Amino acid sequence: MTEDQMAAEARELLANVTRVQSHARQSMLSASWSIFILWGLISAASVVPLLLGADDMGFYWLVAAPIGAIVSFWLGARHSEGVGVGESALPYALTAIGIFVFAFAGSFLIDSRWAIVWVFSVVAVGFGVFAILDRQQPVLYLVGLLVVAFVGLGLGLDDSTSLYLSCALLLGGSYLGLGVGLRMARP
Amino acid sequence: MTHPSQALDDVVHQRVRLGILAVLTEASYADFGYLKEVLGLTDGNLSRHLTVLEEAGHITIEKGFAGKRTKTTVKATDQGRQALDEHLTALKELIKRVEGD
């Protein structure tokens, strides 16, 4: 075999590797839309107790976050079972625990208005870590924009209720939009 | 300087086996059925290639049950991941060498 033939074979093998890896990645990610919609709904729904007069949102998140995490893992596991290819749940579980711990620790340690900015930023950054694990570059850009927007809202809004409503609806709306977009873009 | 083709691993340097390792390094695990579908193989053909990779220590194969059906799950070992990395590097070197001429 000449060097040219060997190189042609190498190109063909590399193209096949790229094809099957891309197929595996797409297969694994084809359910991520449902997880974004779930967290979009959880975030948007958190404004309801606030509008009904609740003054501490900690209880809502203390209940909603673990339930959301369990449902997310169930959705992911069910999807992997269905498509026949998947990833280890451990890095995702550790990230979810990290989001929970950092968000709640910050909410106790930081002044109330900035605690809101902190919690929503931690949730967004946590999803950024998920995006790195999933190699979903566009989600990272959204996460960056969200964190900048949360800090901007923190600087611009003095009232905690308005700040919370703005952050929750921004995060919820962004994740719902992303989830719908990913669902529609599915091959 | 050694020729890049010297670095090609005979076990890995085969379209199907390279494809199997490529899937298993992108994902943590894959079912027999998924590999069969994505690589366009028959049961017997895939089994033969999996056996070669398992005997070389590049993958592990676990058999279990999903309900009443048997389920075969395949994972790449650290050795398998390294073998794929080295093989892909050698392939790229080979292309670079020819394109550089």
Side-chain angles (χ1 to χ4, degrees):
Chain A
M1 196 184 263
T2 65
E3 276 205 334
D4 281 340
Q5 287 170 326
M6 287 171 78
E9 186 193 24
R11 272 189 217 98
E12 194 265 330
L13 287 171
L14 285 174
N16 189 49
V17 164
T18 305
R19 181 189 68 80
V20 296
Q21 285 185 326
S22 170
H23 188 284
R25 177 71 26 210
Q26 288 304 317
S27 299
M28 288 187 289
L29 289 180
S30 57
S32 63
W33 64 271
S34 58
I35 293 169
F36 279 110
I37 285 183
L38 171 70
W39 285 96
L41 289 172
I42 287 173
S43 181
S46 76
V47 305
V48 175
L50 193 67
L51 293 173
L52 292 174
D55 51 2
D56 181 7
M57 295 310 297
F59 182 72
Y60 173 86
W61 284 104
L62 205 59
V63 174
I67 291 174
I70 291 166
V71 174
S72 298
F73 278 97
W74 176 77
L75 285 169
R78 195 183 68 148
H79 175 72
S80 294
E81 184 73 27
V83 295
V85 63
E87 290 194 283
S88 165
L90 184 63
Y92 294 86
L94 292 175
T95 304
I97 292 167
I99 294 172
F100 195 78
V101 169
F102 274 99
F104 273 93
S107 71
F108 288 116
L109 296 172
I110 303 169
D111 166 64
S112 68
R113 197 160 59 85
W114 285 103
I116 295 168
V117 173
W118 169 262
V119 169
F120 281 101
S121 298
V122 167
V123 172
V125 169
F127 270 80
V129 177
F130 290 137
I132 291 169
L133 292 170
D134 289 340
R135 300 180 191 90
Q136 279 187 306
Q137 190 89 355
V139 178
L140 280 177
Y141 300 132
L142 175 68
V143 165
L145 288 173
L146 281 172
V147 173
V148 170
F150 293 145
V151 173
L153 287 168
L155 290 169
L157 296 171
D158 290 332
D159 171 42
S160 292
T161 304
S162 303
L163 178 60
Y164 185 92
L165 287 173
S166 303
C167 289
L169 291 176
L170 179 62
L171 186 73
S174 301
Y175 282 0
L176 280 172
L178 182 62
V180 170
L182 288 171
R183 177 67 183 86
M184 289 172 73
R186 259 187 356 161
Chain B
M1 190 176 147
T2 57
H3 193 277
S5 62
Q6 302 282 313
L8 296 176
D9 178 342
D10 284 344
V11 173
V12 181
H13 192 64
Q14 199 280 340
R15 184 186 163 90
V16 173
R17 293 198 285 271
L18 199 57
I20 293 169
L21 283 176
V23 169
L24 297 175
T25 50
E26 186 70 13
S28 295
Y29 63 87
D31 291 351
F32 188 91
Y34 177 81
L35 290 171
K36 200 175 90 165
E37 181 205 323
V38 75
L39 298 167
L41 302 170
T42 62
D43 285 5
N45 201 354
L46 177 58
S47 290
R48 274 194 296 280
H49 288 295
L50 289 177
T51 302
V52 172
L53 288 169
E54 188 183 29
E55 284 173 353
H58 291 337
I59 61 165
T60 58
I61 301 172
E62 290 170 20
K63 290 183 191 290
F65 286 92
K68 290 179 180 172
R69 291 184 306 136
T70 56
K71 185 181 169 187
T72 303
T73 305
V74 188
K75 293 178 182 175
T77 61
D78 289 343
Q79 181 192 311
R81 288 173 188 278
Q82 191 182 340
L84 180 73
D85 275 350
E86 288 172 1
H87 200 82
L88 295 181
T89 304
L91 290 176
K92 286 171 190 164
E93 282 294 318
L94 190 62
I95 294 168
K96 212 159 78 179
R97 183 186 166 104
V98 171
E99 285 175 348
D101 283 347

